[in-house]
Amino acid sequence: MFLTGAEILIKSLLDEGVDTIFGYPGGAVLNIYDELYKYRDKINHILTAHEQGAAHASDGYARATGKVGVCLATSGPGATNLVTGIATAYMDSIPMVAITGNVTKQLLGKDSFQEVDITGITMPITKHNYIVKDVNDLQGIIREAFYIAKEGRPGPVLIDIPKDITAAKAKYEPIIPKEVERKTKHITDKALEEVAALINEAENPFVYAGGGIVASEAFEELKGFVEKINSPIATSLMAISAFPYNHPLYTGMIGMHGTKASNILATKCDLLINLGARFSDRVINNQKNIKNAKVIHIDVDPAEINKNIKVDSFIVGDLKIVLQKLIPLLKEKKNEEWLNQMNELKSLNVRDTSVTGELTPEFLFRKLSELDDGSFVIATEVGQHQMWAAQYFDYKYPRSFISSGGLGTMGFGLGASIGAQIALKNKQVFNIAGDGSFGMNCNELVTAVKNNLPVIIIIVNNNSLGMVRQWQNFFYEARYSSTTLNRSTDFVKLVEAFGGIGFRVYEKEELESALREALEFKGPVVIDYVIHNDKKVFPMVAPGAPINEIISEEDVDN
């Protein structure tokens, strides 16, 4: 059958199992939106307040489900407004397909109205991108784009479609999507045996798990691996929630704001096992940090091997398959002395348990953890509140923590929480925000209200850009240049103006009732949680310092 490019696009999206698109219309995509109207009973289009919100929502949808998120924008400024969201997904290896319209082919390259070279702009921040010059290629490009977004190390793909391509006709036949096969080509017996030998010889192993565990859905395999070799395990920010928070071998997050246990054990181990992480500069960026340890790196992306840290052995391949093949080759270990050291260090991870006094981040996340019935999903903006959410909430199942790690995108959380809430209708999604981050994209409240989404936004309000202020305090002699906000925004009135409800919390005894009322309300809620602007994230490692050189609250107070 012969269909227009717009019809081919929509039918191809349905072939790929797409049920939700986040977007914003414009002249270059009018033909596409006309078809979306006709297929509105099969594809749920969520109109956001801004294209950046659409990109973050599709990202949140993907992180919450593991499926490919889809966003749609018109040409020119519509396309460029997606860029930050595409870069966010790229840095965190999130599967996304971004679709943009463009001017007609004969107007390309002529500085036409609302023309921009979006494929040139996004080339460094996509796994691949396309500009469709022939309608006969469109169906194949869509199919290939979804495959590329999902295969190997996931990531965003962009398809730019000139307007005349959406009007032209070509033959369309339904095609079953190409199944994504896990990467196994380089998982050789020799590599497995070499890695297994190092693990079996180690007396003090330590596991550092990253976002690759989430991408490969290797949650059970990770647990079985860690338990067999009886190793302490820490997670990067991207792997928060991938391992049970209450497991006796879990030492918490590792890195700049990681726990003392995780950071010190990483420098005392005789074997560091990296599973699906990239040795980020916010975790371990200096070989001297781990000079006494041999290093194993297992990752699906060969480009990550020996990129930041020189390793002694590695395996390139899908983590789920690697761990399935590796576990039978391992000896069961006890490591009693090593685990005693671990437990001594874990005892240093003290939390605030007081129910009186001024509001603290710890109290907020302890109360949230108590109320969690197993349905809570935490999305965050970026800053101090993000680190507190990673440190203090008790995550009960995988994919329940959604946050911008690699790019550190302020304004990410509200859009991402909307995408996650639409994907997870039976879950309760929270957006943990700072007052600075919330101001970036608070316009997406209109999207949450219009779609009657029960997202609960908790603004950890310290009247400042808290993380930057903390660095100014430590490293710039407390010269608080442009980080004290002093804005007069009333967040409760703001959400009410959009059509939601709000609460302000000044005292600890006010928090639980506000949370319970928010959980009962069938729509967006903002809780303005007011804390002192000198609250800091501890522990902390100075940039470039070894991760066992830890700044604690006691060090600062003394």
Side-chain angles (χ1 to χ4, degrees):
M1 91 184 91
F2 281 83
L3 302 176
T4 66
E7 290 174 305
I8 290 170
L9 171 62
I10 301 304
K11 285 188 175 293
S12 297
L13 292 176
L14 289 170
D15 290 341
E16 294 292 338
V18 174
D19 56 20
T20 304
I21 295 176
F22 303 89
Y24 205 97
V29 288
L30 277 174
N31 293 330
I32 297 171
Y33 270 86
D34 195 47
E35 289 304 316
L36 277 172
Y37 181 84
K38 298 171 187 175
Y39 284 86
R40 62 190 182 278
D41 59 332
K42 293 184 178 180
I43 294 182
N44 182 25
H45 177 269
I46 303 297
L47 175 65
T48 56
H50 190 281
E51 291 91 351
Q52 184 178 343
H56 292 326
S58 63
D59 182 319
Y61 181 97
R63 293 184 200 236
T65 62
K67 296 170 63 177
V68 177
V70 181
C71 55
L72 172 61
T74 193
S75 63
T80 57
N81 283 343
L82 294 178
V83 170
T84 298
I86 293 170
T88 302
Y90 182 76
M91 288 290 283
D92 289 346
S93 304
I94 304 303
M96 177 196 292
V97 170
I99 301 164
T100 55
N102 213 328
V103 298
T104 57
K105 284 189 298 180
Q106 68 268 27
L107 293 178
L108 289 171
K110 297 182 179 180
D111 294 332
S112 304
F113 177 67
Q114 290 195 332
E115 180 201 357
V116 75
D117 179 11
I118 193 63
T119 55
I121 290 169
T122 60
M123 189 174 292
I125 56 168
T126 52
K127 280 186 76 177
H128 194 65
N129 65 23
Y130 306 84
I131 181 166
V132 185
K133 296 290 187 70
D134 186 336
V135 69
N136 293 290
D137 298 332
L138 180 58
Q139 185 178 9
I141 285 173
I142 296 164
R143 185 186 188 203
E144 189 173 83
F146 274 82
Y147 181 84
I148 291 172
K150 292 182 286 187
E151 69 90 31
R153 182 177 184 168
V157 178
L158 180 134
I159 307 172
D160 191 38
I161 312 175
K163 187 172 182 179
D164 52 334
I165 297 295
T166 66
K169 288 194 173 185
K171 189 175 182 180
Y172 162 83
E173 291 182 3
I175 298 176
I176 297 173
K178 183 180 177 183
E179 186 174 343
V180 176
E181 296 182 358
R182 293 179 180 270
K183 296 280 188 179
T184 60
K185 179 180 177 181
H186 299 293
I187 308 175
T188 64
D189 290 342
K190 181 180 178 182
L192 288 164
E193 289 165 5
E194 186 177 293
V195 166
L198 284 175
I199 296 172
N200 288 333
E201 291 167 5
E203 295 181 2
N204 302 328
F206 185 76
V207 174
Y208 157 37
I213 294 292
V214 180
S216 66
E217 301 275 344
F219 310 116
E220 290 302 317
E221 288 79 7
L222 175 63
K223 186 169 177 286
F225 172 77
V226 167
E227 288 176 346
K228 187 161 188 183
I229 65 173
N230 232 2
S231 169
I233 173 174
T235 56
S236 70
L237 181 74
M238 295 308 302
I240 295 290
S241 81
F243 196 82
Y245 78 95
N246 57 356
H247 195 287
L249 293 172
Y250 185 50
T251 60
M253 187 168 66
I254 187 172
M256 179 175 282
H257 294 294
T259 65
K260 289 183 179 180
S262 294
N263 286 6
I264 293 172
L265 289 168
T267 60
K268 287 180 174 290
C269 67
D270 62 3
L271 179 66
L272 179 63
I273 307 166
N274 178 331
L275 301 177
R278 56 188 175 87
F279 286 117
S280 161
D281 58 292
R282 288 297 176 101
V283 180
I284 300 173
N285 70 332
N286 191 324
Q287 196 85 29
K288 294 178 181 178
N289 291 348
I290 50 173
K291 59 185 177 182
N292 298 319
K294 291 184 176 179
V295 180
I296 291 170
H297 194 175
I298 302 174
D299 202 286
V300 76
D301 185 356
E304 291 298 337
I305 307 298
N306 291 317
K307 185 176 85 173
N308 295 329
I309 296 290
K310 187 177 180 350
V311 302
D312 296 278
S313 188
F314 65 88
I315 300 174
V316 173
D318 182 90
L319 271 168
K320 191 177 187 74
I321 304 300
V322 172
L323 292 177
Q324 287 173 354
K325 291 179 177 290
L326 185 60
I327 289 171
L329 304 179
L330 302 175
K331 297 175 183 177
E332 292 192 7
K333 303 165 80 75
K334 291 189 177 179
N335 304 327
E336 291 179 2
E337 186 176 335
W338 180 230
L339 295 186
N340 285 339
Q341 290 186 56
M342 176 194 74
N343 288 325
E344 287 178 14
L345 289 167
K346 284 176 70 173
S347 69
L348 301 175
N349 298 341
V350 179
R351 293 189 179 188
D352 170 31
T353 57
S354 64
V355 294
T356 58
E358 66 179 16
L359 293 177
T360 64
E362 297 96 320
F363 182 78
L364 168 63
F365 291 106
R366 182 163 65 85
K367 187 59 63 177
L368 274 176
S369 297
E370 289 172 1
L371 294 177
D372 183 11
D373 59 1
S375 71
F376 287 8
V377 174
I378 305 293
T380 79
E381 304 288 351
V382 169
Q384 287 179 313
H385 59 277
Q386 175 192 29
M387 294 298 106
W388 290 321
Q391 291 174 329
Y392 298 129
F393 186 74
D394 296 332
Y395 295 91
K396 297 180 173 62
Y397 57 90
R399 294 191 182 277
S400 56
F401 178 72
I402 296 171
S403 192
S404 169
L407 198 64
T409 305
M410 293 176 67
F412 167 81
L414 183 51
S417 64
I418 287 169
Q421 188 69 79
I422 286 170
L424 306 174
K425 294 179 173 57
N426 296 322
K427 303 288 186 182
Q428 174 60 62
V429 179
F430 290 81
N431 175 34
I432 306 299
D435 46 326
S437 284
F438 184 68
M440 292 264 185
N441 283 326
C442 61
N443 52 345
E444 292 304 335
L445 280 172
V446 72
T447 310
V449 170
K450 181 179 178 182
N451 292 279
N452 201 33
L453 301 174
V455 174
I456 299 174
I457 301 109
I458 301 178
I459 302 172
V460 183
N461 185 355
N462 59 3
N463 189 38
S464 69
L465 303 179
M467 188 62 85
V468 186
R469 178 188 170 90
Q470 179 167 329
W471 282 44
Q472 288 172 335
N473 182 273
F474 287 169
F475 310 120
Y476 293 86
E477 299 179 337
R479 292 187 293 273
Y480 298 126
S481 176
S482 298
T483 51
T484 302
L485 295 178
N486 285 333
R487 294 170 177 168
S488 58
T489 308
D490 185 324
F491 294 120
V492 173
K493 289 182 179 178
L494 180 68
V495 69
E496 289 173 350
F498 276 105
I501 65 169
F503 303 91
R504 186 167 291 109
V505 174
Y506 287 115
E507 306 292 340
K508 286 184 173 179
E509 56 267 25
E510 298 172 337
L511 177 61
E512 184 166 347
S513 62
L515 285 171
R516 289 193 181 279
E517 285 190 57
L519 289 166
E520 289 295 321
F521 185 67
K522 304 304 180 186
V525 179
V526 166
I527 297 176
D528 186 8
Y529 187 83
V530 183
I531 67 170
H532 195 278
N533 62 7
D534 275 331
K535 288 291 179 187
K536 295 179 177 63
V537 181
F538 292 108
M540 180 178 177
V541 176
I547 60 170
N548 60 340
E549 292 185 7
I550 300 166
I551 303 170
S552 65
E553 191 166 6
E554 296 77 20
D555 299 326
V556 174
D557 289 343
N558 294 332

